[in-house]
Amino acid sequence: MTQPYVNIEIENGVGTIEFFHPAHNSLPGDILAKLAQTITDAGNNDEIKVIVLKSGRDRTFCAGASFKELININDAETGKVFFLGFANVINAMRKCPKFIIGRVQGKTVGGGVGVASATDYCMATKYASIKLSELNVGIGPFVVGPAVERKIGLSAMSQIAIDANTFYSAEWAKEKGLFTQVFEDIETLDTEVKTFAEHLCSYNPEAMREMKKVFWEGTEHWDTLLAERAVISGRLVLSDFTKETLKRFK
């Protein structure tokens, strides 16, 4: 299947949300909106006790924002709306009353690092290197920054945000606290994710809900914060520097 999609499957109390886009699982606005809504709906579905978030195919987990859409932004309002797409996904994950397990099978870039950071427990393969590439195109990881910083700390976040050309290894991401475990291959990852998710389903849902609230304490202002950050990115994407840089990707 080469058409973009967001699907959810429910089995044994585990709601598995899968997103896909043929361009290395980069996320255009309509897919971001669907992903945010699917996460919100799963949070409200009593049949689901735990959520697994994954992407399709076996190479890239998420290449971040859709460059095709970025190139076509010509005014600040459109820019803000585009970057709010990632803000809405992160906020949906933050507000979701259920634990979200991330299943990261491969490289993740930009907004994808933000999505991985907003999971509550993230498992990966050794191929899951990460990069915050935004500075390369004249913007910065403003919208995803709070989620990444919350997970790996300001020092590590600053390092990968400034060193925008470098992929950092899955082991590095594990040392910094983004990944809990790193596995040799996708088969092992999938087995471990399934076992772990089903085990979590045996716990008291109320206890998990209260724990989630505690883990995300201090982020109540993120609706406003991430919207403000989207405005910054929306303005920068119109800069001459960014416009010139994005021409290379046409």
Side-chain angles (χ1 to χ4, degrees), residues 100-117:
I100 300 174
I101 300 167
R103 177 263 197 196
V104 180
Q105 80 279 26
K107 287 181 173 178
T108 187
V109 179
V113 181
V115 171
S117 298

Side-chain angles (χ1 to χ4, degrees), residues 4-232:
Y5 64 78
V6 178
N7 289 338
I8 182 162
E9 288 183 1
I10 305 166
E11 189 180 347
N12 300 330
V14 179
T16 300
I17 298 171
E18 181 176 317
F19 62 87
F20 170 75
H21 192 282
H24 303 290
N25 288 325
S26 60
L27 297 173
D30 57 336
I31 294 292
L32 285 166
K34 197 170 179 192
L35 184 56
Q37 190 58 55
T38 305
I39 291 164
T40 300
D41 293 345
N44 295 327
N45 185 339
D46 291 338
E47 203 185 329
I48 296 171
K49 294 186 173 66
V50 175
I51 295 167
V52 171
L53 182 63
K54 63 183 286 194
S55 65
R57 305 283 170 91
D58 57 3
R59 298 293 291 276
T60 308
F61 171 69
C62 177
S66 164
F67 269 43
K68 198 172 173 186
E69 281 196 12
L70 269 183
I71 290 164
N72 291 322
I73 293 170
N74 290 311
D75 62 273
E77 185 56 32
T78 308
K80 176 193 170 186
V81 168
F82 175 80
F83 288 104
L84 270 175
F86 274 100
N88 292 338
V89 169
I90 289 168
N91 279 322
M93 294 170 76
R94 170 176 71 84
K95 293 174 189 173
C96 177
K98 286 148 193 180
F99 287 148
I100 300 174
I101 300 167
R103 177 263 197 196
V104 180
Q105 80 279 26
K107 287 181 173 178
T108 187
V109 179
V113 181
V115 171
S117 298
T119 64
D120 299 294
Y121 196 98
C122 200
M123 301 157 84
T125 71
K126 65 182 182 183
Y127 305 106
S129 51
I130 65 169
K131 177 164 78 165
L132 285 183
S133 57
E134 287 87 345
L135 194 57
N136 262 329
V137 292
I139 51 178
F142 297 106
V143 171
V144 300
V148 180
E149 182 185 334
R150 172 185 166 271
K151 189 64 89 168
I152 68 175
L154 181 59
S155 174
M157 194 278 281
S158 305
Q159 183 181 342
I160 60 173
I162 293 168
D163 185 10
N165 259 329
T166 302
F167 270 105
Y168 283 76
S169 72
E171 278 302 329
W172 185 91
K174 184 183 172 207
E175 279 168 26
K176 302 301 179 191
L178 174 58
F179 299 146
T180 54
Q181 289 155 288
V182 172
F183 300 101
E184 282 295 308
D185 50 52
I186 292 175
E187 292 71 30
T188 312
L189 172 66
D190 284 339
T191 302
E192 294 293 331
V193 166
K194 185 175 189 291
T195 303
F196 187 70
E198 288 180 357
H199 184 66
L200 282 183
C201 289
S202 67
Y203 293 149
N204 181 351
E206 203 175 336
M208 290 191 284
R209 191 162 55 244
E210 292 301 329
M211 282 171 71
K212 173 118 184 189
K213 278 186 205 166
V214 170
F215 295 153
W216 285 88
E217 256 172 23
T219 63
E220 294 78 10
H221 63 301
W222 277 22
D223 280 346
T224 310
L225 174 68
L226 299 193
E228 288 167 356
R229 294 290 186 85
V231 171
I232 299 172

